[in-house]
Amino acid sequence: MFIDVVINLFKNFLVTLQLFGFTLLFSLPLGLIISFGSMSRFKPLSFLVKVFVWVIRGTPLMLQLILFYFGPGLLVSAAEAGGVDNAFVDFFRKLNMADPLVTAIIAFSINYACYFSEIFRGGIQGVPKGQQEAGEVLGLTKTQIFFKITLMQMIKRIVPPMSNEIITLVKDTSLARTITVYEIIWAAQDYIRVDGLLWPLFFTGVYYLAFSGLLTLLFNYIEKKLSYFKV
Amino acid sequence: MPFLEIKDIYKSFGKTEVLKGISLSLEEGEVISIIGSSGSGKTTLLRCLNFLETPDNGKIFVRDKVLFDGENKAALKDEQIRENRLHFGLVFQSFNLFPQYSVLDNVMLAPKLLKKGTNDEIANKARKLIEQVGLTEKIDSYPCQLSGGQQQRVAIARALAMNPDILCFDEPTSALDPELTGEVLRVIKGLKEQGSTMIVVTHEMEFAKNVSDKIIFMADGVIEEIGTPEEIFENPKSEKTKHFLQNSLEKI
């Protein structure tokens, strides 16, 4: 019995890991783009981006999940009732039919991108202006300065806050069960419902602990790797 | 036509006029020191030459080529600005070495990215420059392992790696402990002996006197007095110059 539960929970923890992995994959670059937007010298753009970040960070992730889960369907039925049908409506129709895991990945990616964008912004703005100027007087382009000078210093600065946020993401994935993503917590709750077993729910903690422990080791390793220089 | 000619440079930050019509010229191989109290516009002038600031008005020529013309500055594209910058090198007060790169990579970074030769050529030249500033032993060290004086010498090698026509120094020893200023000043003096054209903003009066062909005394955004070291230090004409020199040479 115990082994069965362990294996079964592990299978569902893989769903958790998928949500975690894809969210990171999409939210990191998206976060960088959002941070550039919020630092843009074009005021209307930076204003819009800041409002967006405020809305996303200012509302519960659970609410956003539910919106992404039900929103497309509501839009489509409203459009159909109004006799509208175009590529736009079709896009939402597909979104509505999508696997809830996909919906969760979209909502999580947008949510985490906004948190990451603020960390990135802090990291970029924390690099002394003299670094950029030193690159400029050597004749480097803005892109070269960002990728060859600023980026590495920014990465070093943001490792501690990023590790915090990423470990939070591991545990936040459990929210996805509200939109029927069959991840580990939900699987454990099934044991309560079906078999009257409570302990599997508590046992899920072991998976989370093991995985966040692994991540902690990884971040320690990265920090150590980057300790050859000071910023 | 002189090597470098600056005509009537104006620059304001908001309502504060920092440069109020600066004109000067420089021949190849000459060294000019700019002295003056804080806020007189010395650093801003250097930053204008390196296009870190855009002057509001005026003209800058190097070897007869117009680098900046206040009358059509809007036409200045990013790429042109980058090209113009290559005529000048700048050594900062706070060194601004790239912390994540070793001494060698700091010196090689820009020539490599701007493809100024093969990797071997660039590395050889970088090694020579590092030897010239006396840091061959530290070639694989990172900036955080160096003293301020050593960092500043690396910064000089880094600026030289791009072969600037004119090397500018913005108070190169102001952030250093007094016992470390000598090593940096000796490097600059060595460059003069090799015929480098340089503009040095400095508070080191003794150094300015020994190394410069011309001294400029700036006050309140204008060139108050310009002359040979003897003229400025022995026979200053302007009251402001006299006052400044009295204060800065005062022995306590």
Side-chain angles (χ1 to χ4, degrees):
Chain A
M1 183 66 203
F2 178 74
I3 297 296
D4 286 346
V5 173
V6 168
I7 293 172
N8 193 33
L9 286 182
F10 181 72
K11 278 184 195 148
N12 291 287
F13 191 59
L14 290 180
V15 176
T16 298
L17 288 184
Q18 276 182 51
L19 177 54
F20 170 82
F22 282 112
T23 298
L24 265 194
L25 184 70
F26 296 125
S27 60
L28 289 173
L30 184 61
L32 195 59
I33 293 168
I34 294 175
S35 75
F36 285 140
S38 73
M39 287 185 290
S40 168
R41 257 175 279 175
F42 182 59
K43 288 281 175 259
L45 176 67
S46 78
F47 178 75
L48 277 179
V49 171
K50 279 176 182 157
V51 168
F52 180 72
V53 171
W54 170 61
V55 170
I56 296 291
R57 293 202 309 170
T59 55
L61 174 54
M62 191 190 280
L63 219 67
Q64 293 161 23
L65 277 166
I66 293 169
L67 180 74
F68 274 87
Y69 188 61
F70 290 112
L74 292 174
L75 270 174
V76 170
S77 49
E80 278 167 355
V84 186
D85 202 357
N86 51 32
F88 201 57
V89 175
D90 211 45
F91 170 76
F92 281 107
R93 193 173 287 129
K94 280 193 185 115
L95 208 58
N96 192 33
M97 309 290 271
D99 190 305
L101 180 61
V102 174
T103 311
I105 289 170
I106 295 172
F108 268 80
S109 296
I110 292 172
N111 183 276
Y112 269 78
C114 287
Y115 283 96
F116 289 157
S117 79
E118 284 298 284
I119 296 178
F120 292 158
R121 190 170 65 86
I124 292 171
Q125 289 177 341
V127 176
K129 196 144 189 283
Q131 289 291 310
Q132 187 180 336
E133 290 182 349
E136 283 178 23
V137 297
L138 289 167
L140 304 184
T141 65
K142 287 205 170 85
T143 323
Q144 288 170 332
I145 291 171
F146 179 75
F147 284 104
K148 295 291 178 177
I149 299 172
T150 313
L151 185 63
M152 198 59 166
Q153 299 178 37
M154 162 192 152
I155 289 174
K156 186 177 163 91
R157 278 164 193 278
I158 64 172
V159 169
M162 283 301 278
S163 67
N164 239 341
E165 209 57 54
I166 288 172
I167 286 173
T168 305
L169 170 61
V170 178
K171 295 160 293 172
D172 268 1
T173 50
S174 59
L175 282 173
R177 81 182 190 289
T178 51
I179 60 165
T180 73
V181 175
Y182 199 60
E183 46 68 72
I184 187 168
I185 297 271
W186 199 13
Q189 283 177 324
D190 267 1
Y191 281 106
I192 303 177
R193 253 196 314 272
V194 180
D195 306 289
L197 284 179
L198 188 58
W199 69 267
L201 183 59
F202 293 111
F203 193 72
T204 58
V206 174
Y207 294 86
Y208 287 107
L209 270 179
F211 188 59
S212 52
L214 215 64
L215 286 175
T216 307
L217 289 177
L218 176 71
F219 284 117
N220 286 347
Y221 173 77
I222 294 175
E223 258 182 69
K224 213 168 160 195
K225 270 267 156 193
L226 292 176
S227 66
Y228 72 92
F229 72 94
K230 291 202 181 88
V231 288
Chain B
M1 193 81 181
F3 194 59
L4 164 71
E5 184 154 30
I6 302 170
K7 272 188 184 160
D8 250 348
I9 294 285
Y10 281 84
K11 177 71 188 173
S12 304
F13 295 107
K15 281 186 184 144
T16 323
E17 263 195 304
V18 181
L19 299 178
K20 304 171 191 165
I22 301 284
S23 301
L24 64 91
S25 63
L26 190 60
E27 297 299 337
E28 192 163 7
E30 261 189 338
V31 177
I32 286 193
S33 289
I34 306 178
I35 59 173
S37 36
S38 310
S40 58
K42 305 172 306 245
T43 295
T44 306
L45 178 60
L46 281 198
R47 289 173 64 85
C48 284
L49 289 179
N50 283 278
F51 295 87
L52 290 175
E53 308 289 352
T54 311
D56 298 330
N57 219 333
K59 288 187 172 72
I60 300 172
F61 305 88
V62 172
R63 304 179 197 248
D64 289 348
K65 197 176 139 198
V66 188
L67 293 196
F68 177 82
D69 184 349
E71 264 144 46
N72 60 43
K73 59 186 168 192
L76 224 47
K77 297 266 185 309
D78 272 5
E79 200 172 330
Q80 250 172 320
I81 291 178
R82 278 202 307 282
E83 215 168 277
N84 289 345
R85 275 181 178 139
L86 294 179
H87 290 281
F88 296 91
L90 178 60
V91 173
F92 297 87
Q93 184 177 349
S94 50
F95 333 132
N96 295 344
L97 290 185
F98 307 130
Q100 72 266 44
Y101 292 120
S102 67
V103 167
L104 182 63
D105 288 337
N106 260 282
V107 179
M108 285 175 61
L109 182 72
K112 247 163 71 181
L113 289 177
L114 300 176
K115 303 193 172 62
K116 292 285 164 189
T118 67
N119 255 353
D120 282 348
E121 285 165 8
I122 291 168
N124 284 338
K125 182 165 185 217
R127 286 209 174 81
K128 261 184 214 141
L129 289 170
I130 292 166
E131 191 189 336
Q132 190 182 344
V133 298
L135 286 170
T136 302
E137 289 154 43
K138 300 282 182 190
I139 198 156
D140 293 319
S141 302
Y142 287 88
C144 63
Q145 299 166 316
L146 303 178
S147 72
Q150 290 169 334
Q151 289 193 47
Q152 193 60 299
R153 282 145 66 195
V154 176
I156 294 173
R158 180 177 69 177
L160 289 171
M162 290 303 291
N163 279 330
D165 292 320
I166 297 146
L167 189 51
C168 304
F169 293 86
D170 184 15
E171 302 188 19
T173 59
S174 297
L176 295 177
D177 290 337
E179 76 268 23
L180 300 177
T181 57
E183 56 186 85
V184 172
L185 298 181
R186 268 193 295 280
V187 168
I188 301 175
K189 212 169 165 196
L191 291 175
K192 179 193 162 65
E193 279 149 22
Q194 288 176 17
S196 300
T197 314
M198 295 187 280
I199 302 176
V200 187
V201 169
T202 186
H203 291 298
E204 301 281 338
M205 295 304 155
E206 210 43 45
F207 169 76
K209 206 187 218 171
N210 291 332
V211 86
S212 319
D213 298 296
K214 266 190 244 167
I215 306 269
I216 286 171
F217 172 67
M218 274 180 75
D220 304 321
V222 295
I223 294 182
E224 182 71 21
E225 197 165 344
I226 181 165
T228 63
E230 291 75 38
E231 285 168 347
I232 300 288
F233 286 107
E234 314 301 336
N235 282 310
K237 289 186 189 65
S238 134
E239 279 307 312
K240 280 185 185 167
T241 317
K242 281 181 198 164
H243 189 71
F244 173 77
L245 287 174
Q246 240 165 32
N247 281 339
S248 47
L249 297 173
E250 190 179 25
K251 302 239 175 357
I252 298 167

